[in-house]
Amino acid sequence: MSVPVPVPGPPGLPLIGNLNDIDATDGMASLSRLADTYGPIFKLNLGGVDRLFISTHELMNEICDEKRFSKALSGPLEQIRNGIEDGLFTAYPGEHNWEIAHRVLMPAFGPISIRGMFDEMHDIASQLVIKWARFGPKEKINVTDDFTRLTLDSIALCAMDTRFNSFYHEDMHPFVDAMVGLLQESGARARRPAVATYFMRSAQQKYDSDIALLKQVAKEVVAERKANPSDKKDLLNAMIKGRDPKTGEGLTDASVLNNMITFLIAGHETTSGLLSFLFYNLLKNPAAYQAAQKQVDEVVGRGPIKVDHMSKLPYIEACLRETLRLTPTAPAITIQALPDSAGDKISLAGGKYVIKAGQPIICLLPKIHRDPAVYGDDAESFIPERMLDEPFSKLPNNSWKPFGNGMRGCIGRPFAWQEAILTTAMLLQTFNFRFDDPSYQLHIKQTLTIKPKDFFMHAMLREHVDPVYLDKLLHVDSSKEGRWTEKERKIESTVSLGKDKKPMHILYGSNSGTCEALAQSLARVASGRGFHAQVERLDSVVGMVPKDQPVVMISSSYEGQPPDNAAHFFEWLQNLKGGDELEGVKYATYGCGNHDWVSTFHRVPKLLHSGFESHGATQIADLGLGDVAAGDIFDDFDKWQDEQLWPALGGKGDAEDEAGIEIEVDTDLRRSKLRQDVKEAVIVSNQVLTAEGVPEKRHIVLQLPSGMTYKAGDYLAVLPINNQRNIRRVLKWANLPWDAVLTIKTGANTTLPTGHPISAMDVLGAYVELSQPATRKNVTRIAASAADESVRSQIMALAGEDFEKEILAKRRSPLDILEEYPSATLPLGDFLAMLPPMRIRQYSISSSPLADPTVATLTWAVLDTPSKVADSKRYLGVASNYLSSVEEGDRIHVAVKPSHGAFHPPNDIENTPVIMFCAGTGLAPFRGFIQERAMQIQAGRNLAPAYLFIGCAHPEMDALFKDELAQWEKDGVVQLFYAYSKASDLSKGCRHVQDRLWAEKEPMVEVFNKGAKLYVCGSSMVGEGVASMTKRIYQDSVEANGGSKSDEEVESWFQSIKGERYASDVFV
C-alpha cells in the first residue's frame, strides 16, 4: 500500500475558513473551478467543518458502497431540517420516522400508481400549452417560472388532489417564494459560522416566517382532506391512512406535515429545473431538437398524447438523461464514511488518502458526470445518443447519479420521469421554439438546486394551429381540424401591408450583425420597388416558409456552422424528406463568408440554396456570395441585388432609390440607451506591452460583471464606441450641436432604436459604423444630392471604374466623401441608412478563470495608421483604439462568447500533451492556457507537458509577457520556442514559427505520437504556415519509415485530425 498523501485544498482564513473561495450566487461554479485546479479530491473548511469534495467517477464508485459509506446530512440539507425536520430527504440515517415513512410511501410511487396520475398530469400540462399558444410567437416566455408553475401544480394535484391554479395568477403561489427563502437562507447558514446567525435578526425573522408559511400551506391541505375524506389512492391518503407493514405504525401528524412540505418542494423544484435545462439544450442543439420532435410526430402524430406513449419515446428519455448528466438539478450529494474494524481512520482510493469516519464527502455530480474516463473527450457536449437505452445500460456503475444513491435515492423518480416525458412531448408536438436571445449562454441560478438564469424563449404554433381549437386538439384526435386555411394565412400575412405593395419575406442568419444589416438594407430598397418586406430571423419560420411571396435568405457561416439564429432552420431543412415539401416557394439566397476558412467557405448559404432547390422551391435569382476578407461585402451585396434579384422580381422603381430613415431632430433633450446584449465590465488596468518603434500591443485587465463566466480559450466580445474625432466630424458635417437628440420613426427598417428620443452622440458613437467603406449605391445616392452638375459628375466617377482604387483600396467612407464634397446635401436620415450597425468585436481572452473567475484579460494590437484618403487623416481601428483609450475605473460593455469546442485545454490534462503555435497577439489564448496549467501545477497536479512556439520581431521589442513566460518555463509549466523575424540568430536561424517547428520536428513528432493536441492562433499567414509545415513533417515522417503518401493522402490525414487533435483560431 502506498504512503497516504494529504488531501489538497486552498488555505483558509481564521474563523471563516474557505468561505471566500465559494461564490454565494453560484457555488457549483466555484467548486468546479477548484476541482479543475486541485484534481479529483480537495478539502475546504466551511462553517468550521472540514469537508471533502470529489469529482471523478473512480472515487464516486468507491463511496457508493453502502457497506462502507452512508448518506450524510450536512451543510444546507442539515439546515433545511429547521423547516421540515425528519422528512424523507432530511432525516439522519436510521431515524425511526424516516424508516416508517419510507416503507409506507414506497407503494405510492409504484408503476400502477404513477400510471394512474397521467390524466391529472395531462390536465396541468394542457394549461401550460394553452397559455403559451394564447401568448403568441411575439411573447417572451420566462421558461423557469412557467415550468415551476407546471410542476408545483402537478405535484399538488396528483399527490394531494389540491389545485394551486398557478397559471391563473400573475404572481407565483406564496409557497414558491417561501420555499426559495428557506433554501437560500439554509445555504447561507451552512456557509457562515454558526455564531454569525445570532447577529442577523432580519434574516432570522424572514427564515422563521417562510417556514411558518410552508407549514401553514401543508396544514391547510391536510385539514381539507380530513374534513372531506376520499378513497383516492394518492400520496396524501397514503400518509394519513397508511400503516408500516413492519411495525404497524402510521405517520405522526408532524411527520405528515414534514413530508407534505418535502414532496411539494422536491416534487416540483428539481423537475422544473430539468425541463428548463432540457429546452435550453434542445435549442442549443438543433439536431437533437429535430430528432426529438420527429419522434413525437412519428409516435404520437397529431392526436392527443396518451399514457401508452410514455414508453415509446426513447429519444426524449435519452435527452432527459443527457440533460441530467450535464446539469443534475440536485448537483451534489453528501456521503460519510462509516467506522470500520480499524477504527475511525478510513482509507480511500486504495490507501492514497486517509479520512475520518463521519467526515462529509460532497460528490460534485456535474464534474463526475463529465469525467472523460467515462464519457470521453466530448464529455462537455450534449449528445443524447450516448444515453439511449443500450449505451446507457453499458455505462459503468455509479457514473450517472442525478437521483442520489441506494436506499436514500429519490423516491419520486418515476413521478418526475413521467411528468417530464409527457410535458416535453406535448410541447414539441404543439410548438416550434426559439431563443429570445440566440446568443444566450447558460447562466445558473442556485439555491439547494440549480436552474437556468435569465432564460427566455418564444413558442410558435406548428402548422398554423389556431389556439382557439387547441384545447380540442389536446384531447381529441382532430388532426384535420383547427388549421388556418390558405386564404386565412394570406389575409393574416397581408393585414399590415401598405397600399398597392406586394409582400416579401427577408430571412437572415447573423451572429455579428452584418447579415441582419444587409437584410434591413434590402427591406428599405424593397419599399421603393413596390414591396412591403418583412424581416425575420431564419429560425422564426421553421416549418412555415411563406409560399405566396418572394423569400430572400441572407446568411453567413461560422466555421461551417449556421449562425445562432439560423441553426434550427438549417437543421430542419437538412432533415426534410422527399422532393416537394417546398413546392410553391420562390426564393433567392445571398451568402457571406471568409475565404480564410477554406474548407467551409460559404458552406451554409450554399446548402440553404441547394436545399430549397432539391425540395421543390423555385429559384428567383442566382446564388449570391460575398467575401468579407476580399473586399466590401456591402457593395458586393448591392451589386447582386441590382444585377440579379431585382431584374428577376421586376419591382418597379429607381435602382438608386433606397428609403432613408425618417427622423426628428431635437436640440433641447438628451437621452441615451445602451445595447441589451452586453453587460458592464470595469477596467482594472490598461498597459502597453511593446517598445517604441514597433506596432503597439496592449494588455487590459477587466473586472467582469456578476454572473459572467468563461473558460480558457473563450472570446470576450466588446461593443466599442466610435472615436470622438469621427463623431465630431459627423456633427460638423450635419451642422448639429453636440447635445442634439434624434427620434427615428417607428417601423423603419433599421437596427437603430426607434420611436423614442436618443442623443445624436449615442447614435453616432454606439450604434453605427462610421468607417465602413461606401458602396457604389452610397456613392450614387450622395451624387444625386449634389445640385451642381460638375460636382455630381465627379462623385459619380467614384462609383465607376475608379471605385476599387478610390473607394475600396482607400477605405473611403460615406463621411469621407461628404466632407470632400460639401455641396452634396444628403439628408441625415439617408446618411444613417447607409451605415451598418455597430458590430461587436471578439478578442481571445488571455487569462484563466482558475486564477480569478471575476477577472478576464485581453491582449490586442492597436490599429492606427495614416489614412489613404488624405494625409491629414488617420485610419483608426474602431475597437482597438476604443480599448486603448479607456482607463482604470472606466466601464465598457462586454459579453463572453464561447470558442468552438476544440479550442480549449484538453479534458484529460494529465495524459494529453499540448503543442501551441502563435505570433503576435495570437499568444492571447495561450497565455490563458498556460496560466491555467500554472494554477493546477501549483495545486499539486501532475500534468502532461506543454510546448509553446511564439513568433515576434525581437526579444527586446515585442516579446509579449516575456518575464512571466520565462518564470512559467522555469516552474515546469511550459517549454518555450521563439522565432524572431528581426533577430533570427537568437532563434536557431528561424524567422517564423513554422520554421522553428521544422527545427524542433523530431521531439515534436515524438510528443504528437503520444497523443498531443495542436493549437494554432494568429493571422491567416500563421495558420497557413503551421498547417503546411504540419503536413510536410507528416510526409517526412512517413518517408523516414520507408513509406510514401500522395498530396491528396496527406491532405486527407490533415483533415482527419482537424477538430480532434488540431484546432486553429485564425483572424484577418
Side-chain angles (χ1 to χ4, degrees):
M1 182 179 292
S2 59
V3 177
V5 299
V7 175
L13 298 172
L15 296 179
I16 64 171
N18 294 107
L19 183 63
N20 289 345
D21 291 304
I22 305 296
D23 180 355
T25 60
D26 190 1
M28 283 309 302
S30 302
L31 294 170
S32 293
R33 282 191 295 270
L34 289 168
D36 289 338
T37 304
Y38 290 95
I41 184 169
F42 61 92
K43 179 173 67 175
L44 298 177
N45 184 280
L46 299 172
V49 178
D50 282 342
R51 305 176 195 272
L52 304 181
F53 296 81
I54 64 168
S55 60
T56 63
H57 166 252
E58 183 179 10
L59 288 173
M60 183 70 189
N61 191 46
E62 181 174 355
I63 68 169
C64 283
D65 181 355
E66 292 187 277
K67 295 178 181 178
R68 297 179 58 208
F69 299 87
S70 71
K71 175 174 178 174
L73 212 65
S74 68
L77 204 58
E78 190 169 33
Q79 293 296 329
I80 290 173
R81 279 182 65 96
N82 297 321
I84 54 179
E85 302 172 28
D86 55 7
L88 279 176
F89 291 162
T90 50
Y92 291 115
E95 279 198 89
H96 184 62
N97 281 342
W98 177 86
E99 293 176 341
I100 292 174
H102 189 262
R103 288 191 289 265
V104 167
L105 298 178
M106 277 295 287
F109 290 98
I112 295 176
S113 297
I114 297 299
R115 188 180 176 92
M117 298 176 187
F118 179 85
D119 289 342
E120 291 169 324
M121 286 184 181
H122 192 282
D123 178 15
I124 301 299
S126 297
Q127 294 179 26
L128 172 67
V129 170
I130 291 170
K131 175 185 177 180
W132 286 1
R134 290 175 179 168
F135 268 180
K138 303 292 186 184
E139 184 75 15
K140 186 165 76 170
I141 293 169
N142 188 322
V143 179
T144 56
D145 274 9
D146 274 358
F147 280 142
T148 297
R149 288 181 164 89
L150 169 86
T151 53
L152 178 66
D153 282 17
S154 291
I155 187 66
L157 181 61
C158 295
M160 300 152 199
D161 202 23
T162 297
R163 288 186 180 271
F164 284 159
N165 290 323
S166 299
F167 289 113
Y168 300 99
H169 299 91
E170 185 174 346
D171 296 326
M172 290 282 194
H173 192 282
F175 182 92
V176 175
D177 290 334
M179 174 206 70
V180 170
L182 170 68
L183 298 180
Q184 287 180 334
E185 178 59 15
S186 295
R189 291 161 76 100
R191 289 190 298 272
R192 62 185 181 235
V195 67
T197 301
Y198 291 103
F199 300 98
M200 305 180 74
R201 293 185 179 180
S202 61
Q204 183 66 49
Q205 288 173 353
K206 185 178 185 306
Y207 193 54
D208 292 340
S209 66
D210 287 337
I211 291 170
L213 191 148
L214 296 174
K215 289 185 178 293
Q216 183 60 36
V217 170
K219 286 178 182 176
E220 289 173 359
V221 172
V222 173
E224 173 66 22
R225 176 60 60 88
K226 288 183 176 180
N228 299 282
S230 75
D231 295 327
K232 185 178 181 181
K233 293 182 179 180
D234 61 9
L235 186 65
L236 182 54
N237 267 348
M239 286 192 279
I240 294 173
K241 300 178 180 180
R243 291 297 178 266
D244 177 12
K246 184 176 180 180
T247 66
E249 298 177 68
L251 276 68
T252 64
D253 289 346
S255 186
V256 170
L257 290 181
N258 291 330
N259 281 296
M260 275 279 296
I261 300 170
T262 296
F263 283 115
L264 282 171
I265 293 176
H268 92 274
E269 179 70 356
T270 52
T271 311
S272 64
L274 165 60
L275 287 167
S276 300
F277 284 123
L278 171 69
F279 275 82
Y280 167 81
N281 285 324
L282 290 177
L283 287 174
K284 274 292 181 185
N285 297 272
Y289 181 106
Q290 294 292 330
Q293 193 171 60
K294 179 183 177 183
Q295 186 168 87
V296 173
D297 291 345
E298 291 174 349
V299 173
V300 182
R302 296 298 298 164
I305 295 174
K306 300 177 181 177
V307 67
D308 291 337
H309 292 134
M310 294 298 92
S311 61
K312 298 174 182 177
L313 298 166
Y315 194 80
I316 288 180
E317 287 201 71
C319 290
L320 290 167
R321 289 170 181 155
E322 182 72 344
T323 295
L324 286 174
R325 182 184 73 82
L326 291 169
T327 47
T329 48
I333 56 177
T334 306
I335 306 292
Q336 63 185 352
L338 300 172
D340 63 13
S341 57
D344 290 341
K345 300 292 184 182
I346 310 299
S347 66
L348 194 63
K352 184 176 182 179
Y353 307 106
V354 173
I355 63 176
K356 297 177 182 177
Q359 186 170 18
I361 306 171
I362 293 92
C363 311
L364 303 177
L365 297 181
K367 297 298 291 183
I368 292 164
H369 288 174
R370 288 171 163 86
D371 191 338
V374 175
Y375 294 104
D377 287 340
D378 58 4
E380 296 283 341
S381 301
F382 180 78
I383 305 175
E385 288 74 13
R386 70 168 123 231
M387 289 293 178
L388 291 168
D389 289 346
E390 184 176 353
F392 181 71
S393 68
K394 295 178 180 177
L395 287 175
N397 290 337
N398 302 310
S399 58
W400 187 79
K401 303 293 288 185
F403 292 101
N405 184 55
M407 284 290 290
R408 296 302 297 269
C410 176
I411 193 174
R413 175 176 175 175
F415 180 94
W417 210 242
Q418 178 171 287
E419 181 182 20
I421 294 173
L422 169 63
T423 302
T424 304
M426 289 181 71
L427 292 175
L428 291 178
Q429 180 193 42
T430 310
F431 300 104
N432 285 320
F433 296 96
R434 60 179 171 86
F435 279 117
D436 176 60
D437 174 8
S439 64
Y440 172 78
Q441 299 299 324
L442 185 63
H443 296 290
I444 298 295
K445 178 181 180 181
Q446 181 172 343
T447 52
L448 189 65
T449 62
I450 59 173
K451 290 182 179 181
K453 182 181 179 182
D454 300 329
F455 171 31
F456 299 93
M457 66 184 184
H458 296 263
M460 296 147 287
L461 283 168
R462 297 179 66 193
E463 301 187 29
H464 303 290
V465 175
D466 192 318
V468 172
Y469 301 103
L470 183 57
D471 188 55
K472 184 178 180 181
L473 280 172
L474 293 171
H475 299 92
V476 181
D477 189 355
S478 51
S479 57
K480 295 183 180 179
E481 300 179 26
R483 300 172 185 233
W484 290 351
T485 66
E486 188 68 20
K487 179 181 178 182
E488 286 170 328
R489 264 196 291 136
K490 286 183 179 178
I491 291 172
E492 192 274 339
S493 68
T494 58
V495 137
S496 61
L497 297 189
K499 184 179 180 181
D500 298 328
K501 293 205 173 181
K502 295 174 286 186
M504 167 190 272
H505 251 76
I506 303 172
L507 307 172
Y508 67 87
S510 179
N511 278 356
S512 67
T514 300
C515 288
E516 182 180 2
L518 296 178
Q520 298 287 3
S521 169
L522 180 61
R524 291 195 295 270
V525 174
S527 180
R529 296 277 190 166
F531 288 89
H532 177 89
Q534 188 170 345
V535 180
E536 293 186 277
R537 303 166 180 168
L538 277 161
D539 274 354
S540 68
V541 296
V542 172
M544 299 185 294
V545 181
K547 294 187 177 182
D548 57 348
Q549 55 191 274
V551 175
V552 181
M553 296 180 289
I554 306 170
S555 183
S556 53
S557 288
Y558 291 87
E559 299 172 21
Q561 299 303 309
D564 293 338
N565 51 21
H568 284 267
F569 184 86
F570 184 77
E571 190 67 30
W572 166 78
L573 182 62
Q574 297 292 98
N575 284 281
L576 282 181
K577 304 296 183 186
D580 58 358
E581 289 86 349
L582 297 177
E583 189 173 341
V585 173
K586 298 180 176 66
Y587 77 101
T589 314
Y590 189 85
C592 300
N594 186 318
H595 69 243
D596 288 333
W597 301 98
V598 178
S599 61
T600 58
F601 190 36
H602 290 135
R603 175 178 180 267
V604 170
K606 287 179 179 178
L607 287 174
L608 289 174
H609 194 76
S610 62
F612 265 54
E613 183 178 34
S614 63
H615 291 293
T618 302
Q619 178 179 311
I620 297 170
D622 289 343
L623 171 65
L625 298 172
D627 182 2
V628 296
D632 181 41
I633 193 75
F634 294 93
D635 189 65
D636 291 343
F637 180 67
D638 283 348
K639 186 176 180 181
W640 173 77
Q641 56 173 303
D642 288 343
E643 296 179 1
Q644 296 284 336
L645 181 65
W646 294 120
L649 287 174
K652 298 177 181 178
D654 187 344
E656 279 79 43
D657 183 23
E658 176 177 349
I661 300 170
E662 292 186 39
I663 64 172
E664 297 175 4
V665 179
D666 185 341
T667 60
D668 298 321
L669 177 67
R670 286 185 291 165
R671 175 181 175 180
S672 80
K673 178 180 174 64
L674 296 174
R675 291 281 292 269
Q676 299 299 310
D677 54 347
V678 286
K679 296 182 180 180
E680 285 189 349
V682 180
I683 307 301
V684 176
S685 65
N686 190 348
Q687 65 183 108
V688 178
L689 299 179
T690 47
E692 291 187 14
V694 295
E696 183 177 309
K697 296 178 176 65
R698 301 184 72 100
H699 182 68
I700 201 167
V701 179
L702 297 163
Q703 186 78 36
L704 294 175
S706 176
M708 188 172 287
T709 61
Y710 70 97
K711 296 179 181 179
D714 282 348
Y715 304 108
L716 197 68
V718 177
L719 183 63
I721 294 175
N722 283 310
N723 191 276
Q724 287 294 315
R725 282 179 282 178
N726 290 335
I727 297 172
R728 285 195 295 270
R729 287 170 58 199
V730 179
L731 294 176
K732 182 179 179 181
W733 162 77
N735 294 312
L736 292 176
W738 69 272
D739 58 352
V741 170
L742 312 179
T743 301
I744 301 170
K745 184 178 178 181
T746 301
N749 285 303
T750 178
T751 55
L752 298 175
T754 60
H756 59 79
I758 181 170
S759 80
M761 293 285 284
D762 278 345
V763 171
L764 298 172
Y767 285 93
V768 293
E769 297 275 0
L770 296 178
S771 301
Q772 182 71 33
T775 67
R776 282 185 171 88
K777 189 168 287 185
N778 296 159
V779 177
T780 302
R781 182 69 189 88
I782 292 171
S785 73
D788 187 278
E789 180 63 35
S790 63
V791 173
R792 190 157 56 244
S793 298
Q794 291 177 47
I795 301 174
M796 281 301 298
L798 298 175
E801 295 180 358
D802 294 339
F803 181 78
E804 291 196 7
K805 181 179 70 173
E806 292 297 327
I807 301 294
L808 294 184
K810 294 182 178 181
R811 297 192 63 82
R812 187 179 254 135
S813 68
L815 179 59
D816 291 326
I817 300 171
L818 288 165
E819 287 178 326
E820 191 173 345
Y821 298 96
S823 62
T825 57
L826 186 74
L828 178 61
D830 287 8
F831 172 72
L832 291 177
M834 291 179 178
L835 305 178
M838 178 65 78
R839 293 181 293 108
I840 56 173
R841 270 66 168 181
Q842 291 190 169
Y843 294 90
S844 292
I845 297 174
S846 57
S847 58
S848 165
L850 298 193
D852 186 341
T854 68
V855 165
T857 69
L858 300 179
T859 306
W860 78 101
V862 180
L863 179 59
D864 182 352
T865 61
S867 171
K868 296 178 181 178
V869 176
D871 293 338
S872 60
K873 297 181 179 180
R874 305 284 299 176
Y875 180 75
L876 307 174
V878 178
S880 65
N881 280 273
Y882 169 64
L883 287 175
S884 70
S885 69
V886 295
E887 301 175 350
E888 179 182 349
D890 287 348
R891 295 172 181 269
I892 67 173
H893 290 90
V894 302
V896 170
K897 301 290 183 180
S899 64
H900 58 83
F903 208 86
H904 291 110
N907 287 326
D908 189 2
I909 56 176
E910 284 88 356
N911 300 303
T912 309
V914 293
I915 307 173
M916 299 163 281
F917 305 92
C918 64
T921 54
L923 173 60
F926 300 140
R927 180 181 181 266
F929 283 30
I930 298 165
Q931 186 181 58
E932 186 153 299
R933 289 175 58 84
M935 297 299 298
Q936 292 164 330
I937 289 173
Q938 183 181 330
R941 301 188 70 177
N942 295 314
L943 307 186
Y947 309 89
L948 176 62
F949 290 77
I950 311 172
C952 58
H954 193 283
E956 302 304 324
M957 302 294 285
D958 62 347
L960 309 182
F961 309 110
K962 181 175 65 172
D963 295 339
E964 183 179 50
L965 289 171
Q967 183 61 51
W968 281 334
E969 184 174 39
K970 183 179 178 182
D971 295 340
V973 179
V974 66
Q975 189 173 348
L976 305 174
F977 301 97
Y978 280 97
Y980 301 118
S981 61
K982 295 184 179 179
S984 58
D985 55 312
L986 301 177
S987 53
K988 291 190 174 182
C990 302
R991 298 183 65 245
H992 304 292
V993 286
Q994 60 265 35
D995 303 329
R996 191 63 197 265
L997 171 59
W998 179 258
E1000 309 293 340
K1001 64 178 179 178
E1002 291 183 6
M1004 291 304 105
V1005 167
E1006 184 177 340
V1007 173
F1008 183 81
N1009 290 336
K1010 291 179 179 178
K1013 287 193 172 183
L1014 280 61
Y1015 301 85
V1016 184
C1017 186
S1019 68
S1020 56
M1021 291 179 62
V1022 175
E1024 292 167 4
V1026 174
S1028 296
M1029 188 59 71
T1030 301
K1031 297 175 203 175
R1032 179 182 171 189
I1033 291 174
Y1034 171 70
Q1035 195 159 32
D1036 182 75
S1037 177
V1038 170
E1039 291 172 357
N1041 288 295
S1044 65
K1045 294 285 185 182
S1046 66
D1047 291 344
E1048 291 76 14
E1049 289 173 318
V1050 171
E1051 182 62 32
S1052 177
W1053 167 84
F1054 182 69
Q1055 292 300 324
S1056 73
I1057 66 170
K1058 287 184 71 174
E1060 295 292 330
R1061 297 185 61 189
Y1062 186 100
S1064 62
D1065 187 0
V1066 177
F1067 48 82
V1068 180

